[in-house]
Amino acid sequence: MTVGLVPTMGFLHKGHIALVQAAHKQNDIVVVSIFVNPTQFAPNEDFNRYPRDIERDCKLLDKAGADIVFIPEASEIYPPYSQTFVSVETLSQLAEGEFRPTHFRGVTTIVNMLFNIVQPDRAYFGQKDAQQTAVIRRMVKDLHQPVDIVICPIVRETDGLAMSSRNIFLSDQDRKNALTLSKSLELAKTLIGVGERAVPTIISAMTNLYKDLQDVQLDYIRIVDAETFLPVSALALPREYFIIIACKVGTTRLIDNAWITVELNTVRFQ
Ligand code: AMP
């Protein structure tokens, strides 16, 4: 009997449902957790306004093949005097970690607790949160945890915007501006596809797409090693990379990425 776990913060969309369906195919029992985890939000972030709709989520999960929905209270997960964190040190401080220094510590702590409570054979995460997948993989490896980590592709709207619970906050103008994230990734893929390998050239072409936008603040565009998240200067070596973007559109911070596999004679994207 195998158990698949899909950790979420609720307000589900097709990206979450794809994880549940993948878990349903590969396991006898699928557990989905819904928990807006306070420790992964900094005090100035959107914990209080994070969208929530448990009733709708449960209906969607029923249809998608979830067997158990786990919706703990914050006071159960973090009882008074709780003071223990699980932290992946260096990786958690890079890229997203430079803008959200305590974020991944909150993520690894809650994911670790969910592993302890649910004891899954496999756990499902979306490539949408690329650095989160690298951090979780690192944690599982470093702690010798007996869980297989399965990463599922990014689910996008038909125009390319990566699905996110936070997209609900975008105004009509923000929604148009938000397309620049996926468009800039497509531009990078085109450049790489025709042989460009110099990272500064690729990043400057991408950055150009943002320069005339109003009310858009680009936090970063980087090309990093897919395992360490250390920036690289060229896509020279045959290995895996991510192009990662974080950008504030109106009042909403969005992230997106592309996964690049460079082989001897080919390049693949996901
Ligand atoms: P969240 O509820 O935002 O914490 O996300 C829960 C899980 O769903 C995480 O593993 C995310 O990476 C994944 N996820 C969120 N958005 C998408 C998407 N557009 N495509 C695929 N997976 C996603």
Side-chain angles (χ1 to χ4, degrees):
M1 177 94 88
T2 58
V3 176
L5 169 68
V6 183
T8 82
M9 298 204 299
F11 210 71
L12 304 179
H13 51 67
K14 288 181 188 153
H16 298 110
I17 298 305
L19 300 183
V20 178
Q21 287 167 339
H24 185 61
K25 272 198 199 132
Q26 297 175 350
N27 300 277
D28 300 308
I29 293 180
V30 177
V31 181
V32 180
S33 60
I34 300 179
F35 182 60
V36 185
N37 174 36
T39 60
Q40 70 191 66
F41 291 80
N44 62 334
E45 293 181 351
D46 57 353
F47 174 73
N48 283 322
R49 76 163 191 157
Y50 196 85
R52 293 159 168 91
D53 191 343
I54 291 289
E55 217 171 290
R56 180 176 158 274
D57 288 348
C58 287
K59 280 187 197 144
L60 290 173
L61 289 174
D62 205 22
K63 266 200 226 146
D67 298 291
I68 296 171
V69 186
F70 178 49
I71 313 174
E73 291 294 328
S75 57
E76 292 175 280
I77 295 292
Y78 301 107
Y81 308 114
S82 81
Q83 51 194 282
T84 305
F85 287 92
V86 176
S87 174
V88 172
E89 299 285 311
T90 308
L91 183 50
S92 294
Q93 296 308 313
L94 301 171
E96 271 301 273
E98 291 165 32
F99 292 82
R100 308 184 72 190
T102 56
H103 172 66
F104 288 119
R105 184 182 79 154
V107 170
T108 39
T109 300
I110 186 63
V111 169
N112 203 60
M113 288 176 178
L114 291 170
F115 286 177
N116 288 340
I117 295 166
V118 177
Q119 309 243 327
D121 298 278
R122 300 188 185 90
Y124 294 78
F125 296 89
Q127 185 200 316
K128 165 76 179 14
D129 297 275
Q131 194 172 357
Q132 172 170 283
T133 64
V135 168
I136 302 279
R137 279 184 155 154
R138 186 77 258 158
M139 174 183 81
V140 165
K141 208 171 188 178
D142 289 354
L143 297 181
H144 305 277
Q145 291 178 314
V147 184
D148 280 344
I149 302 302
V150 182
I151 313 294
C152 298
I154 302 177
V155 177
R156 297 178 179 279
E157 303 286 356
T158 44
D159 61 5
L161 179 69
M163 291 196 182
S164 163
S165 305
R166 290 187 170 98
N167 289 350
I168 186 130
F169 296 132
L170 299 171
S171 68
D172 289 350
Q173 186 56 50
D174 293 341
R175 179 68 182 69
K176 284 182 195 144
N177 290 342
L179 276 184
T180 312
L181 279 83
S182 53
K183 278 191 184 145
S184 62
L185 288 169
E186 287 305 316
L187 173 63
K189 288 185 196 173
T190 304
L191 291 172
I192 296 164
V194 296
E196 184 58 65
R197 293 290 179 270
V199 167
T201 310
I202 299 164
I203 291 184
S204 106
M206 294 174 76
T207 307
N208 246 328
L209 299 184
Y210 294 77
K211 74 176 191 309
D212 294 328
L213 299 178
Q214 304 278 315
D215 214 11
V216 170
Q217 179 201 314
L218 190 56
D219 281 349
Y220 60 77
I221 298 179
R222 290 189 197 164
I223 302 187
V224 297
D225 177 279
E227 192 180 346
T228 63
F229 270 68
L230 290 168
V232 296
S233 56
L235 298 169
L237 299 173
R239 59 163 90 134
E240 295 186 3
Y241 305 90
F242 278 113
I243 308 176
I244 48 173
I245 304 176
C247 183
K248 202 161 177 198
V249 179
T251 57
T252 310
R253 195 162 177 285
L254 301 177
I255 57 172
D256 201 350
N257 70 82
W259 194 349
I260 313 166
T261 308
V262 176
E263 288 162 353
L264 227 45
N265 297 312
T266 53
V267 181
R268 286 184 290 118
F269 302 102
Q270 181 171 308

